[in-house]
Amino acid sequence: MCISCVILPVCAEEKTITVVDDLNREVTIQVPPSAVVSTGMATRFLSYLDALDPVIAVSSNDASNPVSLSGAAYKLANPQLQNLPVVCEIASVNLNEELITSMNPDLIYKSDISDAKEADELSAKTRAPVVTIIKGGLGTEQDRNDLYRNLRLLGEITGKSEKAEDLIAYIETTIKDLNDRTKNIDDSAKPSVYVGGLAYKGSHGIESTSGTEPALGFINVNNVATGMPSSGSVSKEQILAWDPDIIFIDLATLGNAKTGKTAIQQLESDPSLKNLKALKNGQIYTTLPNVWSYSNMETPLANAYYMGSVVYPDAFDDIDPKEKADEIYTKFLGSPLFAELNAQYENLAYLNLDF
């Protein structure tokens, strides 16, 4: 039996099942659903399972132009999403219940919700079953457990259980490979590393970082921000005090270009950063956005191979990071997407920047 959800046959003729969602609610639904409203992380998860066909409405972030600065590979792989009606803003804000009701869906996936009563009320108002979806991610074991539970739950609902299990196995195998390559490297041989420019509710400058950045964790690096929350900002003075050997810039920072405060612009022009060891020694590198409109699941794995090739070149001498990225994108989304994603970010990904 699937450990992430309980499947109870109701009536074979009616083709219904009962699942237990992320708020421990028993929800009876028609399978496979034919008209689905998907909000929050659910759309991204469905894209990984190649199960978007029944989706008739989405959140605003799902429907935005996939070739704009987004860093969301699932939208590039599924440009049809931009033609669907929008029923809420990102994070399921301002949900248009009247529009949803008029579309007569047979299932609603609702993210960003922690109250079972709220989900029940939405179901009553729209006359459609509501299945809640916790975000999930890659950063911690709990994040991965949430991710796997959701993939299995959606796999049961969409008839894609085999695809879900295959993807989970691939993620685990990939993380193991990254760990195996680096777990025995002596701490004395590890350079200190900082990642800046991470997205969190928008784009930020070099001060935005993470103590649990997934890609760095997969390759066992000496992350100078270890101990910080999963997302947050530090002062430039703190970065100077850490003075890391290597700095990675998450290209989500380019969304901050109009302010003149992308991490790249800061390193180019901010006098207070000129004494950074990494800048003096030419150790500034770029990665694709780990986070944009919620956490990407495939990009941190791809970034980890590139970061590994920079930090521990001998351990990754058999890897072409761009080819590996395309393998990962193909596994998750059915096509190689590195070049398309990179084009959104001025073709700056996986480069050693020259200042």
Side-chain angles (χ1 to χ4, degrees):
M1 180 178 291
C2 172
I3 62 172
S4 63
C5 49
V6 178
I7 304 300
L8 305 171
V10 177
C11 176
E13 290 75 15
E14 294 178 0
K15 296 183 180 179
T16 59
I17 61 172
T18 297
V19 300
V20 177
D21 72 3
D22 279 340
L23 291 180
N24 204 34
R25 299 166 56 250
E26 289 191 359
V27 185
T28 299
I29 57 178
Q30 169 189 314
V31 291
S34 59
V36 174
V37 171
S38 178
T39 69
M41 279 295 290
T43 308
R44 186 188 254 100
F45 291 155
L46 289 170
S47 73
Y48 294 155
L49 298 179
D50 191 22
L52 286 174
D53 285 349
V55 175
I56 59 172
V58 292
S59 305
S60 61
N61 54 298
D62 297 320
S64 61
N65 187 342
V67 296
S68 64
L69 197 66
S70 72
Y74 78 98
K75 293 199 294 181
L76 282 176
N78 297 282
Q80 74 276 13
L81 292 172
Q82 67 182 312
N83 300 319
L84 295 178
V86 171
V87 295
C88 63
E89 299 170 19
I90 187 172
S92 301
V93 174
N94 295 328
L95 193 69
N96 189 332
E97 295 172 353
E98 184 176 347
L99 175 58
I100 293 173
T101 303
S102 72
M103 301 178 77
N104 195 32
D106 51 27
L107 180 60
I108 299 169
Y109 292 120
K110 182 73 166 66
S111 302
D112 302 288
I113 186 170
S114 58
D115 185 350
K117 181 180 178 182
E118 181 183 344
D120 292 339
E121 289 175 348
L122 175 62
S123 181
K125 289 177 181 177
T126 58
R127 301 189 299 276
V130 173
V131 170
T132 62
I133 301 292
I134 290 175
K135 293 177 183 178
L138 295 175
T140 67
E141 184 176 356
Q142 183 59 58
D143 290 336
R144 290 193 290 276
N145 287 340
D146 290 340
L147 168 63
Y148 299 161
R149 182 174 64 251
N150 279 311
L151 289 175
R152 287 177 171 129
L153 172 62
L154 293 173
E156 293 286 353
I157 293 171
T158 62
K160 300 278 187 171
S161 290
E162 185 175 344
K163 173 74 171 175
E165 294 300 333
D166 181 58
L167 190 57
I168 291 166
Y170 180 80
I171 294 170
E172 287 293 298
T173 298
T174 303
I175 293 173
K176 183 179 185 302
D177 178 56
L178 290 163
N179 180 61
D180 286 348
R181 290 170 181 269
T182 58
K183 65 184 179 182
N184 294 323
I185 296 175
D186 192 88
D187 286 346
S188 64
K190 294 180 178 181
S192 57
V193 177
Y194 176 81
V195 57
L198 295 175
Y200 175 69
K201 297 183 177 179
S203 298
H204 301 281
I206 197 169
E207 302 90 345
S208 181
T209 191
S210 171
T212 60
E213 202 282 333
L216 294 185
F218 297 151
I219 56 174
N220 301 296
V221 304
N222 175 15
N223 180 1
V224 295
T226 297
M228 283 189 57
S230 59
S231 57
S233 292
V234 297
S235 65
K236 285 182 285 187
E237 290 74 19
Q238 180 62 73
I239 300 172
L240 287 164
W242 281 329
D243 199 17
D245 296 306
I246 297 171
I247 293 176
F248 289 102
I249 300 301
D250 187 300
L251 289 175
T253 192
L254 294 185
N256 226 30
K258 290 183 179 179
T259 69
K261 292 184 179 180
T262 71
I264 295 172
Q265 290 167 328
Q266 290 171 298
L267 289 168
E268 286 175 330
S269 61
D270 191 326
S272 68
L273 299 176
K274 293 300 181 183
N275 289 323
L276 282 169
K277 183 193 313 178
L279 186 59
K280 288 181 177 180
N281 295 338
Q283 296 294 298
I284 310 293
Y285 301 87
T286 56
T287 62
L288 287 168
N290 271 356
V291 175
W292 200 261
S293 299
Y294 302 103
S295 297
N296 293 310
M297 303 299 154
E298 65 295 313
T299 296
L301 297 174
N303 284 345
Y305 280 96
Y306 173 66
M307 291 170 152
S309 73
V310 170
V311 181
Y312 312 121
D314 291 343
F316 289 83
D317 60 1
D318 61 325
I319 296 294
D320 180 318
K322 294 179 182 179
E323 289 182 2
K324 190 65 176 180
D326 275 337
E327 174 202 302
I328 292 168
Y329 287 122
T330 300
K331 186 67 177 182
F332 275 79
L333 294 162
S335 57
L337 295 168
F338 177 83
E340 287 184 76
L341 276 172
N342 195 18
Q344 295 185 28
Y345 292 90
E346 303 175 21
N347 293 310
L348 289 175
Y350 295 4
L351 293 181
N352 179 197
L353 296 183
D354 182 13
F355 288 90

